[in-house]
C-alpha cells in the first residue's frame, strides 16, 4: 500500500543505477519488505532487520465500554502531555475532536477529507505544541517528526497489527 509517489522512486533507480539507495522502515513485515525491494528496484540489497521493541513504550489494553469516558479519563491523567488519538472513520474523528474541545482539551481533527490547508495547519500546530491532541485517521502520522508524543490512543482498533505498531511507534521517539 505504498503511496504512489513512493512507487515512482524505483524509476530513479533505473535512471541512476550507480547511485547508492537506501530504504528504511520501522515495522515492515517480510512481505512488505519484499514489496519495497521490488517497487524500488533494489537488486541484491543488504537487508538488516532489528527488533522494533522500544522498552520505553508501555501498552495498556482495555475492553471498550463507554469509549469517550474512557478516553477523557485517560487524558485527565495526561494533561501535560501531547498525543494522538486514532479513530477509523472521518466522522468519528470529527465527533471525538469536537467533544474534546468542548471539554477543554486543546484538540483538533485530522483526516484525508479535510482541505490540504487545514491538514497542514493542524500538523504545524501539533509540531509547535500549539495543540496537544490530534484526533486522526491513519492519514495522520506519515512524516510526523515529533519526538515528544507521549501517548497514542486507539479509539477504534486498527485494521491490522502492522498498522497498530506503525501508529504506536509514533510515541516516545525521544526515548522517554
Amino acid at each position: 500500500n505504498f503511496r504512489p509517489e513512493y512507487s515512482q522512486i524505483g524509476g530513479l533507480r533505473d535512471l541512476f543505477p550507480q547511485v547508492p539507495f537506501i530504504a528504511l522502515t520501522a515495522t515492515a513485515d517480510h512481505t512488505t519488505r519484499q514489496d519495497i525491494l521490488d517497487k524500488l528496484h533494489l537488486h541484491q540489497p543488504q537487508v538488516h532487520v532489528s527488533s522494533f521493541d522500544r522498552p520505553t513504550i508501555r501498552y495498556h489494553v482495555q475492553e471498550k465500554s463507554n469509549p469517550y469516558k474512557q478516553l477523557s479519563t485517560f487524558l485527565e491523567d495526561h494533561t501535560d502531555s501531547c498525543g494522538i488519538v486514532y479513530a477509523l472513520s472521518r466522522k468519528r474523528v470529527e465527533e471525538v475532536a469536537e467533544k474534546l474541545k468542548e471539554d477543554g482539551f486543546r484538540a483538533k481533527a485530522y483526516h484525508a477529507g479535510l482541505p490540504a490547508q487545514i491538514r497542514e495547519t493542524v500538523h504545524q500546530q501539533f509540531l509547535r505544541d500549539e495543540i496537544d491532541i490530534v484526533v486522526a485517521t491513519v492519514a495522520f502520522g506519515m512524516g510526523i517528526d515529533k519526538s515528544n508524543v507521549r501517548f497514542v490512543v486507539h479509539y477504534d482498533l486498527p485494521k491490522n497489527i502492522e498498522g497498530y505498531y506503525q501508529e504506536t511507534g509514533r510515541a516516545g521517539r525521544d526515548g522517554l
Side-chain angles (χ1 to χ4, degrees), residues 16 34 157 172:
F16 303 102
Q34 189 57 52
L157 282 176

Side-chain angles (χ1 to χ4, degrees), residues 82-84 106 108 110 119-134 140-149 170 173:
C82 67
I84 305 167
R106 295 189 320 159
K108 294 247 177 119
Y110 185 107
R119 289 194 315 269
E120 180 61 23
T121 298
V122 170
H123 185 163
Q124 291 304 315
Q125 288 175 327
F126 187 62
L127 292 177
R128 293 189 304 255
D129 295 322
E130 294 170 8
I131 58 174
D132 299 318
I133 303 163
V134 174
F140 185 74
M142 295 300 199
I144 295 299
D145 189 16
K146 182 172 174 66
S147 64
N148 66 337
V149 174
R170 297 192 173 112
R173 290 185 175 179

Side-chain angles (χ1 to χ4, degrees), residues 3-111:
R3 293 181 181 182
E5 301 84 26
Y6 292 176
S7 296
Q8 294 171 4
I9 293 172
L12 292 174
R13 190 81 197 113
D14 298 333
L15 293 171
F16 303 102
Q18 301 306 318
V19 174
F21 270 61
I22 185 170
L24 305 170
T25 179
T27 59
D29 60 18
H30 175 75
T31 303
T32 304
R33 289 193 305 268
Q34 189 57 52
D35 196 29
I36 290 168
L37 299 178
D38 294 343
K39 293 257 192 306
L40 298 183
H41 306 183
L42 299 176
H43 307 289
Q44 298 179 327
Q46 293 182 23
V47 177
H48 302 274
V49 179
S50 181
S51 171
F52 56 84
D53 178 43
R54 298 201 357 239
T56 58
I57 295 181
R58 290 185 309 275
Y59 294 90
H60 299 274
V61 180
Q62 292 182 334
E63 184 175 349
K64 193 173 183 178
S65 169
N66 194 351
Y68 184 77
K69 177 67 176 155
Q70 289 173 297
L71 175 62
S72 59
T73 299
F74 172 84
L75 294 175
E76 287 168 7
D77 292 336
H78 295 82
T79 54
D80 293 330
S81 302
C82 67
I84 305 167
V85 176
Y86 282 107
L88 286 180
S89 73
R90 295 173 182 181
K91 181 180 178 185
R92 175 84 42 88
V93 163
E94 290 182 9
E95 290 171 353
V96 172
E98 193 56 40
K99 283 182 183 178
L100 288 173
K101 284 191 281 188
E102 289 171 6
D103 289 345
F105 294 98
R106 295 189 320 159
K108 294 247 177 119
Y110 185 107
H111 59 73

